[in-house]
Amino acid sequence: MDPRRPNRTVSDPKVRQVGFVTPAATTPPPRSVSDALVSSSSAAAASSPPTGTSLSPVMIPPPRHGASDGLPARGTVPLAVPNSGSLLRRDNLQILVGAHDHNETEVVLGTPPMTSPSSRIHDGVSEFSDNASMSPWYGRSDPDKLASSLAGRNSELMMSKSVGAGGGSGGGHTPKSPLTTASVVKTLPGISGTSIFILNNLHLSEKQGGALGIQNDLAEAPMPLKEKTTKAERRALQEAQRAAKAAAKEAGEALIHFLEFYRGGVPANTQQAKSVKPSQKKDAPQVTAPSVSSEKKIVDRPIEKDRKKDVPPPRMQFDDKHKVEKVKRRAMVNQFEAKNRVELFRHLPQYIHGTQLPDLEAKFFQLDAVHPSVYKVGLHYLSGKISGGNARCIAMLLAFKEAINDYSTPPEKAFGRDLTTKISSYISFLIECRPLSISMGNAIKFLKHRIAKLPLAMSESDAKLSLQSDIDRFINEKIEIADKVIVRHAVAKIRDGDVLLTYGLSSVVEMILVYAHELGKDFRVVIVDSRPKLEGQVLLRRLIAKGLNCTYTHINAISYIMHEAKRVFLGAASVLSNGTVYSRVGTACVAMVAKAFNVPVLVCCEAYKFHERVQLDSICFNELGDPDVILKVPGHVASNYLEGCVDNDNLQLLNLNYDATPSDYVSMIITDYGMVSCTLMLFYGYVFPYC
Amino acid sequence: MTRMDFEVVVLAGGASSNLSPLVSQELPKALLPVANRPVLSYVLELLEGSNLKDLIVVVEGEDAAQLVGGWISGAYADRLHVEVAAVPEGVGTAGALRSISSYLTANDVLIVSGDLVTDVPPGAIAATHRRHGAVVTTLLCSSPVSGPSDSGTSGGKEKAKKPVRHNIIGLDPTRQYLLHMATGAEVEKDIRLQKRILQAVGQMEIRADLMDAHLYAFKRTVLQDILDQKDKFQSIRQDILPYLIRTQLSSEVSGNGLVSSESGSNKSAVQDELRWLSQHREIAPSTFQDSQPLSLKSQRDDQRSHKCCVYIANESKYCARLNSIQAFSDINRDVIGEASHLSGYSFSAQNNIIHPSAELGSKTTVGPQCMLAEGSKLGDKCSVKRSVIGRHCRIGSNVKIVNSVVMNHVTIDDGCSIQGSVICSNVQLQERVVLKDCQVGAGYIVTSGSEHKSESLARK
């Protein structure tokens, strides 16, 4: 019964492969990770930049620039000695992925000789991830050896020996017969002192898949590994203890599963990560629809404890009363109930700025945990002084940089861990000020990843310096250089005599227009604006000051003005992996009208803003602005008809900040990696998920 | 690190002349009792409530400093970490700051006047200061109506006629920036405004109903520079603040040299932080634009060399300064009256505070909004209304005390009537004394049967 479930998951492996094959083809960056957890290593693998050969799914090979190789390259720090195991595993992973087509799998078996066998029996598998993440047992240095070391089909004793010998003995075997003996698992309880860990996947070629009986155990065993939090895991264990009957196919599935497992890396049920055993029980009932969940797992599965830290927690549903209560109790800032909430958007954090700012200010000195610079940035978010994805992200990173600079590890705490919690508390403070933008989420992910990857041996001051330079590099390469590259790309699309339409205020679009003007191109700009922010006016004034020829109109005239436009340039808060452009509200409307008029829509978005979320509408995730500002019409004091109606229960005001533009309406996305058609975002979303 | 990178300096003053009969060598201004607690304790507790526990208290005069220091170490030994600094008398607020400025290290300095009685959270000023990145932020509160809510008792009308020292304060339309400031004394008939500032903001709102509460947040580097370079500056209020306001626009003081050096030092302090920001600002200027797109102000904002900001306290907050005898009476009345939450006492059902050890004679009534401290004895048929009576006072029979402050160890004999007066410690009022709107200095003896009105009685 068990093999069936994996079958279902394998039924559409393509989706998973898309994300994986590409990055895997790159040479694995060996990284040193102090407390390397399996997941983080995989994330690292997944996030390694797409380099030349691997770019097949992308039609326009994006030119590489500093951003593409600078940051990840940093990861390739020589490893610290005790971490060779993790390095190795990563290597294995990389190779596995690369070799996936050949359906080769490798088994890595490790034996912790000291552990008591009895405990091993029960949670041998479930403990696996923890052990694997920390144990220096897997002392082998290359996958060949690995495979070969496991090749001995004798007895579990043999294996344990070979493993215990740390690869040296294993090296003697020839890699020809990668069939591995794993009947051990079953006999484990009986044999004292030996236990088998399956570190990596099976090395199992279909051609050689003769020794099925033996392989089976191995084939089964890794499955718990990937689904360790589910009931399936226990089942798998049982299965393993039963007789063997698996086939090479299953091994393949296992591999895929394993890859998914490693792929991981999206916010989701973080509570699963804690201790494996209790969560097993907890989650047992959830495994009713494994085929569905396995699909989701690709995206949604948090893998390890540190995955939880890597990723901002899942968005809170603000219509869930219990959760809201809970958060309120924790909150540093008093949160107030917004009145007259629009039913459809109740699940979003309601806008409470007006009451929040004075409260926050009054508590200035009480907020112990918050670093002054973070606090300042939070105030700026709250007061709207800093807005826009890039500006907010940069401001946040700079504040974190300063906070890291002032940070000193309290006694009896580990630098990385304590700093991570510190940063997390800053982030939750910032979230209270204003919900995070996707760009900020990615930057946070990056920073936490960096912190997690600091070698333990590194001194505190060095670690701080390295983090600060990481932040600088992120800002420089992922934002500033990215912007410059985007400008270069986009300017190529501007020709003399063009009429370019833009909406609102996007920093990168502004740079494009100014740069094109500086190049001497002769074009006209139509700036479409909308209330209540009227950001377009800022752009208008700046462009006029630079001597550009501009037309200014509001979005309600969009269908009138659109026929003049040759091209539409839009900024974006994020581009999601289904190609949806998440941007300032109104963008979708502009794009839609442009589509209707057959005007190409070019969306400019730095790659660090990409997110692998899939969003079909702008309701699930959005941000509510100050509802009162939409009541006010600037310059029309007399026409404030709604004055006094605010308290009326029948009036509900809705001021959305973002909307989602379906990829159909977007002709091209200009990123720092090149110009891509929107439909390819599916691939891109997997290629650049992290920074 | 100091909390939120702020340091706190409390300027407790010395023997202030305009409180002349009340303060003395033995009783510096900071220790004047307000509802039987030294006025300084209100500031200290306000700061303590905001988690600001490392304070520098500057006192004028060695003796006063010793008294204040002694009191603080007694009262706040385990709660606050206070350094008391003595400065010579008569140096002014700026001088006092100058003498301690070398000890300041934090990014910003919060300067609180020791005679402030308020419940405005200092964090609010500090946060505003931070948010704007201002050079100076001052707390403005609605100026107290002098002698308010006297509600029928004598002198209400007269007091209202007294010339109120207006502050003329110019604000920008958003009420965030301080553009002009002048005290009522300086204002005769005309107000001089700077054309350049007016041009820059386009519109200025001039308010006379606001009072400078003498709670400032300064950027430390700027403050130190000014103190160093302008050694004639005596007072924060009259010299430093106007100077900063005047020089808000760098272009105006191009020949001065000071401002440029200020901004230079500012920059070096925060340069690291701003390097990326500014770099990005160059390539994407609009992301850093202020939120008001078309107002003239934001256009000119870039030209500001520094910002002088204000925090305007909410109307509902209490805020008063003990800088005159009138203010002393007012504050005493308010603290046990409408702003009773400041006093820190719990009020009885009759809305007054009578210490359990106080003794009341028969038919003696103590009205609401009164306070009777420990060990005081009242004889028969006394009437106390809206007054504060200190410790160990002995009050005879048939005494009327209305709207007054009686400090400690005062002896009041039978048949006295006291209205709207302040009676300092160890005063003896002999029989049938009638006082109205008087101040009686410490240790004075008012002979029996004498009547005084609006006089200041003190030992020569």
Side-chain angles (χ1 to χ4, degrees), chain A residues 361-362 364-366 368 370 372 375-376 379-380 383 385 387 391 394 398 401-402 472 476 479-480 483 505 507 510-511 534 537-538 541-542, chain B residues 3-4 6 49-52 121-124 126-128 130-132 273 275-277 279-280 283-287 289 293-294 299 307 311:
Chain A
E361 291 200 329
F364 185 63
F365 291 113
Q366 270 99 327
D368 247 342
V370 182
Y375 186 91
K376 187 174 174 182
L379 279 182
H380 282 166
S383 62
K385 202 172 172 191
S387 63
I394 291 177
L398 288 176
K401 189 181 154 196
E402 208 167 304
D472 278 349
N476 188 24
I479 303 177
E480 303 192 340
D483 280 345
L505 170 65
S507 56
E510 180 185 349
M511 282 186 267
L534 295 176
Q537 295 186 349
V538 178
R541 197 173 58 219
R542 288 173 181 277
Chain B
R3 184 164 297 274
M4 293 311 257
F6 263 92
S50 298
N51 256 340
L52 293 164
T128 311
R130 266 297 151 69
R131 179 156 60 89
H132 290 292
E273 175 197 352
R275 191 163 57 90
W276 291 111
L277 270 180
Q279 190 176 336
H280 199 252
I283 53 175
S286 53
T287 32
Q289 181 68 24
L294 275 193
Q299 226 175 7
K307 294 179 188 167
Y311 177 85

Coordinates of all heavy atoms in Angstrom, one line a residue, chain A residues 361-362 364-366 368 370 372 375-376 379-380 383 385 387 391 394 398 401-402 472 476 479-480 483 505 507 510-511 534 537-538 541-542, chain B residues 3-4 6 49-52 121-124 126-128 130-132 273 275-277 279-280 283-287 289 293-294 299 307 311:
Chain A
E361 N 5.4 55.9 19.2 CA 6.4 57.0 19.6 C 6.4 57.1 21.1 O 7.5 57.2 21.6 CB 5.9 58.3 19.0 CG 6.1 58.4 17.5 CD 6.1 59.8 16.9 OE1 5.5 60.6 17.6 OE2 6.8 60.0 15.9
A362 N 5.3 57.0 21.7 CA 5.3 57.2 23.1 C 6.1 56.1 23.8 O 6.7 56.3 24.9 CB 3.9 57.2 23.7
F364 N 8.8 54.8 22.9 CA 10.1 54.8 22.3 C 11.1 54.1 23.2 O 11.9 53.3 22.8 CB 10.5 56.3 22.0 CG 11.8 56.4 21.3 CD1 12.0 55.9 20.1 CD2 12.9 57.1 21.9 CE1 13.2 56.1 19.4 CE2 14.1 57.2 21.3 CZ 14.2 56.7 20.0
F365 N 11.1 54.5 24.4 CA 12.2 54.0 25.3 C 11.8 52.7 25.9 O 12.7 52.0 26.5 CB 12.5 55.0 26.4 CG 13.2 56.2 25.9 CD1 12.5 57.5 25.9 CD2 14.4 56.2 25.4 CE1 13.1 58.6 25.5 CE2 15.0 57.3 24.9 CZ 14.4 58.5 24.9
Q366 N 10.6 52.3 25.8 CA 10.2 51.0 26.4 C 10.6 49.8 25.5 O 10.7 48.7 26.0 CB 8.7 51.0 26.7 CG 8.4 51.5 28.0 CD 7.9 53.0 27.9 OE1 8.3 53.7 27.1 NE2 7.0 53.3 28.8
D368 N 12.6 47.6 24.4 CA 14.0 47.3 24.7 C 14.7 46.6 23.5 O 15.8 47.0 23.2 CB 13.9 46.2 25.8 CG 14.5 46.8 27.1 OD1 15.2 47.8 26.9 OD2 14.3 46.3 28.1
V370 N 14.4 46.6 20.4 CA 14.6 47.1 19.1 C 15.8 48.1 19.0 O 15.9 49.0 19.8 CB 13.3 47.8 18.6 CG1 13.5 48.3 17.2 CG2 12.2 46.9 18.7
P372 N 17.9 51.1 17.8 CA 17.5 52.4 17.4 C 17.3 52.6 15.9 O 16.3 53.2 15.4 CB 18.5 53.4 17.9 CG 19.2 52.7 19.0 CD 19.0 51.2 18.8
Y375 N 14.4 50.9 14.7 CA 13.2 51.6 15.2 C 12.9 52.8 14.2 O 11.8 53.0 13.8 CB 13.4 52.1 16.6 CG 12.3 52.8 17.2 CD1 11.4 52.0 18.0 CD2 12.0 54.1 17.0 CE1 10.3 52.6 18.5 CE2 11.0 54.7 17.6 CZ 10.1 54.0 18.4 OH 9.0 54.6 18.9
K376 N 14.0 53.4 13.9 CA 13.8 54.6 13.0 C 13.2 54.2 11.7 O 12.3 54.8 11.1 CB 15.2 55.2 12.8 CG 15.1 56.5 12.1 CD 16.5 57.2 12.1 CE 16.5 58.4 11.2 NZ 17.9 59.0 11.1
L379 N 9.6 53.5 12.0 CA 8.8 54.8 12.1 C 8.7 55.3 10.7 O 7.6 55.8 10.3 CB 9.5 55.8 12.9 CG 9.4 55.7 14.4 CD1 10.1 56.8 15.1 CD2 7.9 55.7 14.8
H380 N 9.7 55.2 9.9 CA 9.6 55.7 8.6 C 8.6 54.9 7.7 O 7.9 55.5 6.9 CB 11.0 55.7 7.9 CG 11.8 56.9 8.4 ND1 13.2 57.0 8.1 CD2 11.5 58.0 9.0 CE1 13.7 58.1 8.7 NE2 12.7 58.7 9.2
S383 N 5.2 56.1 8.9 CA 4.8 57.4 8.5 C 4.8 57.6 7.0 O 4.5 58.6 6.5 CB 5.7 58.4 9.1 OG 7.0 58.2 8.7
K385 N 7.3 57.7 5.1 CA 8.4 58.4 4.6 C 9.3 57.6 3.7 O 9.9 58.1 2.7 CB 9.3 59.0 5.8 CG 10.1 60.2 5.4 CD 10.7 60.7 6.7 CE 11.7 61.8 6.3 NZ 12.5 62.2 7.4
S387 N 9.0 54.6 1.2 CA 8.0 53.6 0.6 C 8.7 53.2 -0.7 O 9.6 53.8 -1.2 CB 6.7 54.3 0.4 OG 6.8 55.4 -0.5
A391 N 13.5 51.0 -1.8 CA 13.9 51.9 -0.7 C 13.6 51.2 0.6 O 14.5 51.3 1.5 CB 13.1 53.2 -0.8
I394 N 16.3 48.6 1.1 CA 17.6 49.1 1.4 C 17.6 49.7 2.9 O 18.6 49.4 3.6 CB 18.0 50.2 0.4 CG1 18.2 49.6 -0.9 CG2 19.2 50.9 0.9 CD1 18.5 50.6 -2.0
L398 N 20.1 48.4 5.8 CA 21.1 49.3 6.4 C 20.9 49.3 7.9 O 21.8 49.3 8.7 CB 21.0 50.7 5.8 CG 21.5 50.8 4.4 CD1 21.2 52.2 3.9 CD2 23.0 50.5 4.4
K401 N 22.3 46.3 9.3 CA 23.7 46.3 9.3 C 24.2 47.1 10.5 O 25.1 46.6 11.2 CB 24.1 47.1 8.0 CG 25.6 47.0 7.7 CD 25.9 47.8 6.5 CE 27.3 48.3 6.5 NZ 27.6 49.4 5.5
E402 N 23.6 48.1 10.8 CA 24.0 48.9 12.0 C 23.7 48.1 13.2 O 24.5 48.1 14.2 CB 23.2 50.2 12.0 CG 23.9 51.3 12.7 CD 23.2 52.6 12.4 OE1 23.1 53.0 11.3 OE2 22.8 53.3 13.4
D472 N 26.1 44.8 2.4 CA 26.5 45.8 1.4 C 26.5 45.2 0.0 O 26.0 45.8 -1.0 CB 27.9 46.3 1.7 CG 27.9 47.3 2.7 OD1 26.8 47.8 3.1 OD2 29.0 47.7 3.3
N476 N 24.3 46.4 -3.1 CA 25.0 46.8 -4.3 C 24.6 46.0 -5.5 O 24.2 46.5 -6.6 CB 26.5 46.8 -4.1 CG 27.2 47.4 -5.2 OD1 26.7 48.3 -5.9 ND2 28.5 47.1 -5.3
I479 N 20.5 45.1 -6.0 CA 19.6 46.2 -6.2 C 20.2 47.3 -7.1 O 19.6 47.6 -8.2 CB 19.2 46.9 -4.9 CG1 18.6 45.8 -3.9 CG2 18.2 48.0 -5.1 CD1 18.2 46.3 -2.6
E480 N 21.3 47.8 -6.8 CA 21.8 48.9 -7.5 C 22.3 48.5 -8.9 O 22.0 49.1 -9.9 CB 22.9 49.6 -6.7 CG 22.3 50.0 -5.4 CD 23.2 51.0 -4.6 OE1 24.4 51.1 -4.9 OE2 22.6 51.7 -3.7
D483 N 19.6 47.4 -11.0 CA 18.8 48.5 -11.6 C 19.6 49.0 -12.9 O 18.9 49.3 -13.9 CB 18.7 49.6 -10.6 CG 17.5 49.3 -9.6 OD1 16.7 48.4 -10.0 OD2 17.4 50.0 -8.6
L505 N 4.8 55.5 -9.8 CA 6.2 55.9 -9.6 C 7.0 54.7 -9.4 O 6.8 54.0 -8.4 CB 6.3 56.9 -8.4 CG 7.7 57.2 -7.9 CD1 8.5 57.9 -9.0 CD2 7.6 58.0 -6.7
S507 N 11.0 53.4 -9.3 CA 12.4 54.0 -9.3 C 13.1 53.5 -10.6 O 13.8 54.3 -11.2 CB 13.1 53.6 -8.1 OG 13.2 52.2 -7.9
E510 N 11.9 55.2 -13.7 CA 12.4 56.6 -13.7 C 13.8 56.6 -14.2 O 14.2 57.4 -15.1 CB 12.3 57.2 -12.3 CG 12.8 58.6 -12.3 CD 12.9 59.2 -10.9 OE1 12.3 58.5 -10.0 OE2 13.5 60.2 -10.7
M511 N 14.6 55.7 -13.7 CA 16.0 55.6 -14.2 C 16.1 55.3 -15.7 O 16.9 55.9 -16.4 CB 16.7 54.5 -13.4 CG 17.1 55.0 -12.0 SD 18.1 53.7 -11.2 CE 16.9 52.8 -10.4
L534 N -0.9 59.6 -5.6 CA -0.5 60.5 -6.6 C 1.1 60.6 -6.7 O 1.7 61.6 -6.8 CB -1.0 62.0 -6.3 CG -2.5 62.1 -6.4 CD1 -2.9 63.5 -5.9 CD2 -3.0 61.8 -7.8
Q537 N 3.0 62.3 -9.7 CA 3.3 63.7 -9.7 C 4.8 63.9 -9.4 O 5.4 64.8 -9.9 CB 2.4 64.5 -8.7 CG 1.0 64.4 -9.1 CD 0.1 65.3 -8.2 OE1 0.6 65.8 -7.2 NE2 -1.1 65.5 -8.7
V538 N 5.3 63.1 -8.5 CA 6.7 63.2 -8.2 C 7.5 62.9 -9.4 O 8.4 63.6 -9.7 CB 7.0 62.2 -7.0 CG1 8.5 62.2 -6.7 CG2 6.2 62.5 -5.8
R541 N 7.3 65.7 -11.9 CA 8.1 66.9 -11.7 C 9.6 66.6 -11.9 O 10.3 67.4 -12.5 CB 7.9 67.3 -10.2 CG 8.4 68.7 -10.0 CD 8.1 69.2 -8.6 NE 8.7 68.3 -7.6 CZ 8.1 68.0 -6.5 NH1 6.9 68.4 -6.2 NH2 8.7 67.2 -5.6
R542 N 10.0 65.4 -11.6 CA 11.4 65.1 -11.8 C 11.7 65.0 -13.3 O 12.8 65.5 -13.7 CB 11.8 63.8 -11.1 CG 11.8 64.0 -9.6 CD 12.0 62.7 -9.0 NE 12.0 62.9 -7.5 CZ 13.1 63.3 -6.9 NH1 14.2 63.5 -7.5 NH2 13.0 63.5 -5.6
Chain B
R3 N 20.3 53.8 26.2 CA 19.0 53.3 25.7 C 18.6 54.1 24.4 O 18.5 55.3 24.4 CB 17.9 53.5 26.7 CG 16.6 53.0 26.3 CD 15.7 52.9 27.5 NE 16.3 51.9 28.4 CZ 16.1 50.6 28.4 NH1 15.3 50.1 27.5 NH2 16.6 49.8 29.2
M4 N 18.4 53.4 23.4 CA 18.0 53.9 22.1 C 19.0 55.0 21.7 O 18.6 55.9 20.9 CB 16.6 54.5 22.1 CG 15.5 53.5 22.3 SD 15.6 52.1 21.2 CE 14.4 52.5 20.0
F6 N 20.1 57.5 23.4 CA 19.8 58.8 23.9 C 20.4 58.9 25.3 O 20.4 58.0 26.1 CB 18.2 58.9 24.0 CG 17.6 59.6 22.9 CD1 17.1 58.9 21.8 CD2 17.4 61.0 22.9 CE1 16.5 59.5 20.8 CE2 16.8 61.6 21.9 CZ 16.3 60.9 20.8
G49 N 9.7 56.1 34.3 CA 8.6 55.4 33.7 C 8.8 55.1 32.2 O 8.3 54.2 31.6
S50 N 9.7 55.8 31.6 CA 10.1 55.6 30.2 C 11.4 54.8 30.1 O 12.0 54.7 29.1 CB 10.3 56.9 29.5 OG 9.1 57.6 29.5
N51 N 11.7 54.1 31.2 CA 12.9 53.3 31.2 C 14.2 54.0 31.1 O 15.2 53.4 30.7 CB 12.8 52.3 30.1 CG 12.4 50.9 30.6 OD1 12.6 50.6 31.7 ND2 11.9 50.1 29.7
L52 N 14.2 55.3 31.3 CA 15.4 56.0 31.2 C 16.0 56.1 32.6 O 15.5 56.9 33.4 CB 15.1 57.4 30.6 CG 14.7 57.4 29.2 CD1 14.1 58.7 28.8 CD2 15.9 57.1 28.3
P121 N 4.9 61.5 27.3 CA 6.0 60.6 27.3 C 7.2 61.1 26.6 O 7.1 61.6 25.5 CB 5.4 59.3 26.6 CG 4.3 59.8 25.8 CD 3.7 61.0 26.5
P122 N 8.3 61.2 27.2 CA 9.5 61.7 26.6 C 9.9 60.9 25.3 O 10.5 61.4 24.4 CB 10.6 61.6 27.6 CG 10.1 60.8 28.7 CD 8.6 60.7 28.6
G123 N 9.5 59.6 25.4 CA 9.8 58.8 24.2 C 9.2 59.4 22.9 O 9.7 59.2 21.8
A124 N 8.0 60.1 23.1 CA 7.4 60.6 21.9 C 8.2 61.7 21.3 O 8.3 61.7 20.0 CB 6.0 61.2 22.3
A126 N 11.5 61.9 21.6 CA 12.6 61.3 21.1 C 12.4 60.6 19.8 O 13.2 60.6 18.8 CB 13.2 60.3 22.1
A127 N 11.2 59.9 19.7 CA 10.9 59.2 18.5 C 10.7 60.2 17.3 O 11.1 59.9 16.2 CB 9.6 58.4 18.7
T128 N 10.0 61.3 17.6 CA 9.8 62.3 16.6 C 11.2 62.8 16.1 O 11.4 63.0 14.9 CB 9.0 63.4 17.1 OG1 7.8 62.9 17.7 CG2 8.5 64.4 16.0
R130 N 14.0 61.3 16.1 CA 14.6 60.2 15.3 C 14.0 60.1 14.0 O 14.6 60.0 13.0 CB 14.4 58.9 16.0 CG 15.5 58.4 16.9 CD 16.8 58.2 16.1 NE 17.9 58.5 17.0 CZ 18.2 57.7 18.0 NH1 17.6 56.6 18.3 NH2 19.2 58.0 18.8
R131 N 12.7 60.2 14.0 CA 12.0 60.0 12.7 C 12.4 61.0 11.7 O 12.5 60.8 10.5 CB 10.5 60.0 13.0 CG 9.6 59.8 11.8 CD 8.3 59.2 12.2 NE 7.6 60.1 13.1 CZ 6.8 61.1 12.7 NH1 6.6 61.3 11.4 NH2 6.2 61.9 13.6
H132 N 12.5 62.2 12.2 CA 12.8 63.3 11.3 C 14.3 63.5 11.1 O 14.7 64.2 10.2 CB 12.3 64.6 11.8 CG 10.8 64.7 11.7 ND1 10.1 64.7 10.6 CD2 9.8 64.7 12.7 CE1 8.8 64.8 10.8 NE2 8.6 64.8 12.1
E273 N 26.3 55.2 7.4 CA 24.9 54.7 7.3 C 24.3 55.2 6.0 O 23.5 54.5 5.3 CB 24.1 55.3 8.5 CG 22.7 55.0 8.4 CD 21.9 55.9 9.4 OE1 22.5 56.6 10.1 OE2 20.7 55.8 9.3
R275 N 25.7 56.2 3.2 CA 26.5 56.1 2.0 C 25.6 55.4 0.9 O 25.4 55.9 -0.2 CB 27.7 55.3 2.2 CG 28.7 55.3 1.1 CD 30.1 54.9 1.6 NE 30.0 53.6 2.1 CZ 30.2 52.5 1.4 NH1 30.5 52.5 0.2 NH2 30.1 51.3 2.0
W276 N 25.1 54.2 1.3 CA 24.3 53.5 0.3 C 23.0 54.2 0.0 O 22.6 54.3 -1.2 CB 24.0 52.1 0.8 CG 25.2 51.3 0.9 CD1 25.8 50.8 2.0 CD2 25.9 50.8 -0.2 NE1 26.9 50.1 1.7 CE2 27.0 50.0 0.3 CE3 25.8 50.9 -1.6 CZ2 27.9 49.4 -0.5 CZ3 26.8 50.3 -2.4 CH2 27.8 49.5 -1.8
L277 N 22.4 54.8 1.0 CA 21.2 55.5 0.8 C 21.4 56.6 -0.3 O 20.7 56.7 -1.2 CB 20.7 56.1 2.1 CG 19.8 55.2 2.9 CD1 19.3 55.9 4.1 CD2 18.5 54.8 2.0
Q279 N 23.7 56.9 -2.3 CA 24.1 56.4 -3.6 C 22.8 56.0 -4.4 O 22.7 56.3 -5.6 CB 25.0 55.2 -3.5 CG 25.6 54.8 -4.8 CD 26.6 53.6 -4.5 OE1 27.1 53.5 -3.4 NE2 26.8 52.8 -5.5
H280 N 22.0 55.4 -3.7 CA 20.8 55.0 -4.3 C 19.9 56.2 -4.6 O 19.2 56.2 -5.6 CB 20.0 54.0 -3.5 CG 19.0 53.2 -4.3 ND1 17.7 53.4 -4.2 CD2 19.2 52.2 -5.2 CE1 17.0 52.6 -5.0 NE2 17.9 51.9 -5.6
I283 N 20.6 57.5 -8.0 CA 20.1 56.8 -9.2 C 18.6 56.6 -9.2 O 18.0 56.5 -10.2 CB 20.8 55.4 -9.4 CG1 20.7 54.6 -8.1 CG2 22.2 55.6 -9.8 CD1 21.2 53.2 -8.3
A284 N 18.1 56.7 -8.0 CA 16.6 56.5 -7.9 C 16.1 57.6 -6.9 O 15.7 57.3 -5.8 CB 16.2 55.2 -7.5
P285 N 16.1 58.8 -7.3 CA 15.8 59.9 -6.4 C 14.4 59.8 -5.8 O 14.2 60.0 -4.6 CB 16.0 61.1 -7.2 CG 16.3 60.7 -8.6 CD 16.3 59.3 -8.7
S286 N 13.5 59.4 -6.6 CA 12.1 59.5 -6.2 C 11.7 58.6 -5.1 O 10.8 58.8 -4.4 CB 11.2 59.3 -7.4 OG 11.5 58.1 -8.0
T287 N 12.5 57.5 -5.0 CA 12.1 56.6 -3.9 C 12.3 57.2 -2.6 O 11.8 56.8 -1.6 CB 13.0 55.3 -4.0 OG1 14.2 55.6 -4.5 CG2 12.3 54.3 -4.8
Q289 N 11.8 60.3 -2.0 CA 11.0 61.6 -1.9 C 10.1 61.6 -0.7 O 9.5 60.6 -0.4 CB 10.2 61.7 -3.2 CG 9.5 63.0 -3.3 CD 10.4 64.2 -3.4 OE1 11.5 64.0 -3.9 NE2 9.9 65.3 -3.0
P293 N 3.8 65.2 -2.7 CA 4.5 65.4 -3.9 C 4.5 66.9 -4.4 O 5.6 67.3 -4.9 CB 3.6 64.6 -4.9 CG 2.6 63.9 -4.1 CD 2.6 64.5 -2.7
L294 N 3.5 67.6 -4.3 CA 3.5 68.9 -5.0 C 3.7 70.1 -4.0 O 3.7 71.2 -4.5 CB 2.2 69.1 -5.7 CG 2.2 68.4 -7.1 CD1 1.1 68.9 -7.9 CD2 3.5 68.8 -7.8
Q299 N 9.9 70.4 -2.0 CA 10.9 70.8 -3.0 C 12.1 71.4 -2.3 O 13.2 71.2 -2.6 CB 10.3 71.8 -3.9 CG 10.5 71.5 -5.3 CD 9.8 72.5 -6.2 OE1 9.2 73.4 -5.7 NE2 9.8 72.2 -7.5
K307 N 17.0 70.2 10.4 CA 15.6 70.3 10.7 C 15.4 70.7 12.2 O 16.0 70.0 13.0 CB 14.9 69.1 10.4 CG 14.9 68.7 8.9 CD 14.1 67.4 8.8 CE 14.2 66.8 7.4 NZ 13.8 65.4 7.3
Y311 N 7.3 68.6 18.6 CA 6.3 67.6 19.0 C 5.2 68.3 19.8 O 5.5 68.9 20.8 CB 6.9 66.5 19.9 CG 5.9 65.5 20.3 CD1 5.5 64.4 19.5 CD2 5.3 65.6 21.5 CE1 4.6 63.5 19.9 CE2 4.3 64.7 22.0 CZ 4.0 63.6 21.1 OH 3.0 62.7 21.5

